[in-house]
Amino acid sequence: MSGSGMSLWRYAALRIVQSLPLILGIIVINFLLINLAPGDPVTALIGEFPAPAEYIETVREQFGLDQSLGMRMLTYIGNILQGELGFSFNYRVPVLELVLGRLGRTLVLMITTIVFATAVGLGLGIMAAKWKDSPLDKLAVGFATVGYSIPVFWSGQLLILLFAVRLGWLPSSGLRSTRIAYEGFALYGDMARHMILPVLALSLRYIALTTRLTRSSLIETLNSDYVVAARTRGIPATRILWNHGLRAAATPIITIIGYHFTFIVAGSALVETVFGWPGVGRLMYESIGARDYPTLLGILLMVSIAVIIVNLITDIVYAFIDPRIKYD
Amino acid sequence: MSSTPHTQTEMNPQARPEPILDIQNLITEIRVPGRSLRPVEIERLVVPRGQVVGIVGESGSGKSMTAYSILNLFPTAAARIHSGSILLDGVDMVTARENERVRIRGDKVGMVFQDYAMSFNPVISIGKQLMEQLLTHGRHENAKAKVLSVLNEVGLSAEVFSRYPHELSGGMLQRVGIASALVCDPPLIVADEPTTALDVTVQAQILELLKRIQQERNLSILLITHDLGIVAEICDLVYVMYVGQIVEHGTVHKIFKSPAHPYTQGLLQGASSVQSVGTHEIRVAIQGSIPGLTEIPSGCRFHDRCPYTMDICRTQEPGFYEVNGLQAACWLHDPEHSHG
Ligand SMILES: Nc1ncnc2c1ncn2[C@@H]1O[C@H](COP(=O)(O)OP(=O)(O)OP(=O)(O)O)[C@@H](O)[C@H]1O
Ligand code: SF4
Ligand SMILES: [Mg+2]
């Protein structure tokens, strides 16, 4: 890129400053939505059996639930500004600690999915474009159409039924085997086996998307005037595919990873729930059930910030691969 | 415009005997559902070494298809060479294997397009694209220096090396197009309307550049154009094309002085009747318009527009006749029909 070193940092800083009001808005809306939802965290915390009224009051005070909604929100925002995400009702540990403790597992799932789905989708897309209109192309397009429209929880359950229940090849849930205590490499192998089905379920949609967009951008590129011109200069077809074609396919792939990041976050929450994968998504699901508002709010806030950062990185990467895009 | 003007017939005996390009009995076809169209049917077209040869004709006469045929490479998968031979520096581009043709393209023949804006990848820098071409053709030594020198040769600064296509003006981009045609030092350049899409002042500069480079390098150029003014200025020989066929060819001097084919006469009258040659549409002082490939007339393809049409013109295709040193495919020059 020509002389964009300075403007890159200025641009990033500007974007981050611009997103602060957005994050504040997200906090307020999340806070209101969750606190206005039916259900009482204290009831959830204590359980359905009758408890003495004084005890309930103590718990309420302890968590600051006796104050007005507006007051609670101001306190919450004040705490966040100090890097304080609050205390989980359910687990009785700081939210930040709770979430960070589970983040690794979710990241492993998400990153494996992105890498796997991108590789498979790219491969299928390239083959489909290269042998356009062949049976292989039709198969890939059909798969992409079906794969895109199957909801994650459904494909997840199908995979469990087939590979775990019927064939018994793979574990259906959890992070690792509970009956045998593996150690060292065997432990990683065991965890990898547990990851196969969740990753497959989560990947399906991304493979479908990547295949479709890779295929169409490659076909468009390979028919473009500049590719014809490159061929008149004697650039061989394979080199055109790898150098010119894949450069063009990079944009849709960045789009999928970057702008569809929210889908992969939502998808991993579903997959973690279906496969009992103890990550942040599962934690979010549990927090909803337990009316664990601080945890839920903390997760939503961190996800929002992550989405903003990922979008920013996406824009920067776009400008990096396409010099026609300017930061402004 | 080469230093010693000469025609095919009076070739310099010192020069290498075989022409850089020799097209014979070329038929190019486009397969469309249900039939095959023939945009090019050229009996013979020769580019002698070190000369500038023009192809002129109205829009749709098959000039670009001829240019692509020379590389045996088409922008559409529906087109291909049906038969014939295209000897490019001694290699037949029709029968050569694809990997040999790939080696020849860009190395033995450079192509310059009308659409300069679309002839480079928008997301790769100019320098990298020129380097890619050099390196694919196995010219690794001093590749960067070579690219910089060819940029300099076409009047661009070294800074252009790291620029992207969208950062350059049309005239600069067309200079890059010429640089890319030259970078492997080919003996032949095929330029398809290289100035048509440019502003008039820039057109003149690009034409000057082509002229200068042709002289400095003693290049052979096949120049495709609408513009008879350009032909007069830069070409040694000219081929006039109509609906895929050559109807007349010879030296520029003789064709401009006394064109033998009624179509050429029409083109020239059209050109002189309007002041501005070099506009996009060629001016033809002939009634009607060029037929499409699905409605090619029988006999002489020009008979429905020709002011001298005779009976035989409607049924039989004329062969070439020599007329005052020109070759013209017209029954008027057949001794038996010459009275009209
Ligand atoms: N992909 C295609 N499918 C069908 N016909 C085509 C195709 N490409 C070109 N043709 C036809 O081939 C004929 C020759 O086209 P060509 O582009 O070679 O003409 P040209 O002399 O270069 O015209 P112009 O001056 O407009 O560039 C035209 O009749 C055109 O309609
Ligand atoms: S052959 Fe006949 S129709 Fe064709 S150009 Fe000559 S006179 Fe005209
Ligand atoms: Mg053309």
Side-chain angles (χ1 to χ4, degrees), chain A residues 34-35 37-41 72 89 287 291-298:
Chain A
I34 287 173
N35 280 283
D40 180 3
R72 269 153 55 201
F89 292 168
S287 308
R291 304 283 186 277
D292 188 352
Y293 296 163
T295 306
L296 201 51
L297 278 172

Side-chain angles (χ1 to χ4, degrees), chain A residues 2 225-226 228-229 231-236 239 243-244 247 321-324, chain B residues 71 73 102 105-106 118-124 132-133 136-137 164 166 180:
Chain A
S2 51
D225 289 335
Y226 70 77
V228 173
R231 294 180 63 206
T232 69
R233 293 180 204 122
I235 314 298
R239 189 176 158 88
N243 189 27
H244 299 259
R247 231 173 252 263
I321 58 175
D322 189 339
R324 288 168 299 181
Chain B
L71 299 179
L73 169 83
V102 168
R105 293 177 195 136
M118 315 228 230
S119 43
F120 291 94
N121 189 325
V123 303
I124 304 181
E132 179 184 38
Q133 183 181 348
T136 2
H137 289 298
Y164 290 88
H166 72 280
S180 133

Side-chain angles (χ1 to χ4, degrees), chain B residues 242 260-267 269 284-288 300 302-310 313-314 330 332 340:
Chain B
Y242 186 74
H261 196 283
Y263 179 63
T264 316
Q265 293 164 3
L267 286 184
Q269 278 167 31
V284 188
I286 310 163
Q287 55 178 345
C300 171
F302 188 55
H303 82 241
D304 57 339
R305 298 173 73 191
C306 179
Y308 312 108
T309 311
M310 303 168 287
C313 304
R314 289 181 239 275
C330 171
L332 283 178

Side-chain angles (χ1 to χ4, degrees), chain B residues 63-65 114 192-193 224:
Chain B
K63 305 183 296 295
S64 295
M65 277 293 166
Q114 173 177 342
D192 187 358
E193 316 252 12
I224 292 171

Side-chain angles (χ1 to χ4, degrees), chain A residues 12 35 37 48 85 87 104 123 142 150 192 201 210 216 226 270-271 287 292 313 326-327:
Chain A
N35 280 283
E48 292 296 337
L85 283 185
F87 209 73
I150 294 183
T210 313
S216 60
Y226 70 77
L270 287 171
V271 160
S287 308
D292 188 352
I313 294 173
K326 290 266 174 292
Y327 309 117

Side-chain angles (χ1 to χ4, degrees), chain A residues 9-44:
Chain A
W9 294 113
R10 285 236 314 266
Y11 173 74
L14 189 75
R15 280 282 301 266
I16 288 170
V17 170
Q18 277 174 344
S19 53
L20 290 179
L22 184 66
I23 291 174
L24 186 71
I26 289 169
I27 295 172
V28 171
I29 290 173
N30 283 343
F31 189 89
L32 291 178
L33 274 180
I34 287 173
N35 280 283
L36 294 176
D40 180 3
V42 178
T43 321

